[in-house]
């Protein structure tokens, strides 16, 4: 496979290889990568949308390289290589779906996607065969990656999310974990849910399935008849999918599934949830045994580097805790501020079954203190006006 060009990105290297016609395989290797010393790989559909905004649909990418680099530097996940497989343009639905999508003439109005009535489908088996038979061995040889299933992970969104679910069904022993973002359960008149319900061949060791609250209206607005019902259908479908997986043996130690309040159908939202999926699939973090309300990784925080903050949801003084943000100030709020969404931390086990939230944050250089508070958009939890604080260590 010919290497077309490469560039430095987020401390690592982004390399582009020509695969089929103008279709690229985009490979990001982490900082200080040495062939044979990094065994794990994360494979993602829609490679064009993963790394650079200028290549991505709508001008916004997942920022996958930056997220993975920061999680590695925090010690939250082990080093890994990201491999993005470009979609096939007008034949994207052919590769990603087991049947043609149709526009789905929903009973409440004008359907989900009127532009999809004539789109092709049914080629997902051939796409996954090429991926498993051709691309996996190539990547192992080219980058010295492990050929063990325990070291391979796969993910996708939208139609690519349906493809990821289909891969999990057809190749459950070939991949350690699969994450699925905003799957288009309406495609093929919704028949894929019936396939999941009837599935009996097992699943990969870990699965992650997430959906946004406003999948349809957040992208296409509320003017079309049935728009709100489309949102509700997709939320319910996510819950139904998770219920089928639970009935087929995927307990809480193997499956994470949730609907993000306010979440929409776009790359920015999938980027925001990417740390959740990676924590769960690659090396689930266990909360400390002590009854802390919040803690950071690393601790103390290193100025100029990324850190994660974990917060026990039940301890927050916010009601209702719908969509919670953390508001941070550096050096007594004089060195800048940041506001970040707190997302499900996806911890593998916690004391007493507590639910933890988390955010991935970059600390400015040359700071000596971090103060923060929480908000749900209306009310504040600022530790009775004293704010909360995190320990900061010396610069690296």
């Amino acid at each position: 496979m010919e290497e077309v060009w490469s560039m430095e990105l987020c401390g690592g290297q982004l390399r582009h290889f020509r695969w089929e016609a103008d279709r690229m395989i985009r490979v990001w290797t982490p900082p200080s990568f040495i062939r044979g010393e990094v065994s794990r790989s994360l494979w993602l559909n829609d490679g064009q949308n993963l790394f650079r905004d200028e290549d991505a649909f709508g001008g916004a990418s997942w920022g996958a390289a930056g997220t993975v680099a920061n999680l590695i530097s925090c010690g939250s996940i082990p080093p890994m290589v990201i491999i993005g497989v470009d979609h096939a343009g007008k034949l994207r639905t052919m590769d990603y779906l087991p049947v043609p999508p149709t526009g789905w003439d929903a009973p409440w109005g004008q359907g989900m996607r009127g532009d999809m009535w004539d789109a092709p489908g049914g080629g997902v088996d051939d796409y996954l065969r090429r991926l498993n038979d051709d691309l996996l061995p190539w990547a192992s040889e080219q980058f010295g990656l492990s050929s063990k299933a325990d070291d391979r992970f796969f993910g996708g969104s939208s139609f690519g999310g349906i493809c990821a679910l289909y891969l999990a069904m057809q190749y459950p022993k070939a991949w350690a974990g699969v994450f699925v973002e905003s799957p288009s359960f309406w495609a093929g008149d919704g028949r894929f849910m019936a396939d999941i319900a009837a599935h009996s061949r097992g699943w990969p060791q870990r699965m992650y399935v997430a959906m946004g609250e406003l999948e349809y209206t957040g992208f296409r607005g509320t003017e079309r008849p049935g728009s709100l019902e489309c949102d509700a259908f997709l939320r319910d479908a996510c819950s139904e999918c998770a219920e089928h997986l639970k009935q087929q043996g995927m307990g809480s130690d193997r499956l994470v599934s949730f609907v993000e309040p306010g979440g929409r159908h776009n790359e920015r939202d999938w980027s925001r949830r990417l740390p959740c999926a990676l924590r769960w699939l690659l090396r689930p973090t266990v909360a400390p045994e002590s009854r802390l309300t919040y803690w950071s990784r690393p601790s103390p925080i290193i100025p100029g580097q990324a850190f994660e903050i974990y917060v026990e949801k039940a301890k927050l003084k916010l009601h209702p805790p719908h969509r919670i943000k953390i508001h941070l100030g550096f050096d007594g709020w004089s060195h800048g501020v940041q506001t970040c969404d707190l997302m499900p931390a996806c911890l593998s086990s916690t004391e007493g079954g507590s639910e933890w939230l988390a955010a991935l944050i970059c600390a400015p250089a040359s700071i000596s203190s971090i103060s923060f508070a929480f908000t749900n958009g209306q009310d504040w939890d600022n530790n009775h006006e004293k704010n909360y604080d995190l320990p900061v260590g010396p610069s690296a």
Side-chain angles (χ1 to χ4, degrees), residues 165 169 178 180 183 185 192-197 199 203 207-211 233-259 280:
L165 266 173
M169 296 167 68
V178 172
V180 181
F185 281 124
F192 193 58
M193 189 66 74
D195 295 341
I196 295 173
H199 182 63
W203 297 91
M207 293 287 296
Y208 167 102
V209 184
M211 190 77 76
F233 168 83
L234 291 168
R235 293 194 299 267
D236 292 344
C238 181
S239 299
E240 182 181 352
C241 175
E243 194 58 38
H244 288 314
L245 267 63
K246 292 175 186 176
Q247 293 173 2
Q248 295 165 16
M250 297 293 290
S252 59
D253 59 331
R254 297 178 59 195
L255 170 68
V256 159
S257 181
F258 64 91
V259 174
W280 178 249

Side-chain angles (χ1 to χ4, degrees), residues 13 45 76 102 116 126 140 156 239 257 259 307 317 324 349 372:
Q13 198 73 15
N45 284 326
S76 297
T102 75
M116 286 287 114
D126 183 57
S140 294
S239 299
S257 181
V259 174
F307 69 95
K317 304 176 183 68
I324 301 173
S349 62
F372 60 94

Side-chain angles (χ1 to χ4, degrees), residues 104-127:
W104 191 45
D105 191 13
W108 53 74
Q110 299 179 20
M112 191 74 73
R113 287 284 300 275
D115 58 327
M116 286 287 114
W117 283 108
D118 298 324
V124 66
D125 285 299
D126 183 57
Y127 168 64

Side-chain angles (χ1 to χ4, degrees), residues 84-141:
V85 182
D86 276 13
H87 65 68
K90 293 181 179 180
L91 295 178
R92 177 172 179 260
T93 53
M94 173 62 79
D95 274 353
Y96 289 172
L97 300 179
V99 295
T102 75
W104 191 45
D105 191 13
W108 53 74
Q110 299 179 20
M112 191 74 73
R113 287 284 300 275
D115 58 327
M116 286 287 114
W117 283 108
D118 298 324
V124 66
D125 285 299
D126 183 57
Y127 168 64
L128 294 181
R129 179 193 58 77
R130 284 154 31 224
L131 187 149
N132 281 274
D133 294 350
D134 300 337
L135 292 181
L136 284 181
W138 168 80
S140 294
E141 174 63 26

Side-chain angles (χ1 to χ4, degrees), residues 20-33:
E20 298 174 344
D22 292 330
R23 201 169 178 181
M24 296 290 178
I25 306 298
R26 303 168 194 249
V27 182
W28 180 81
T29 53
S32 305
F33 172 80

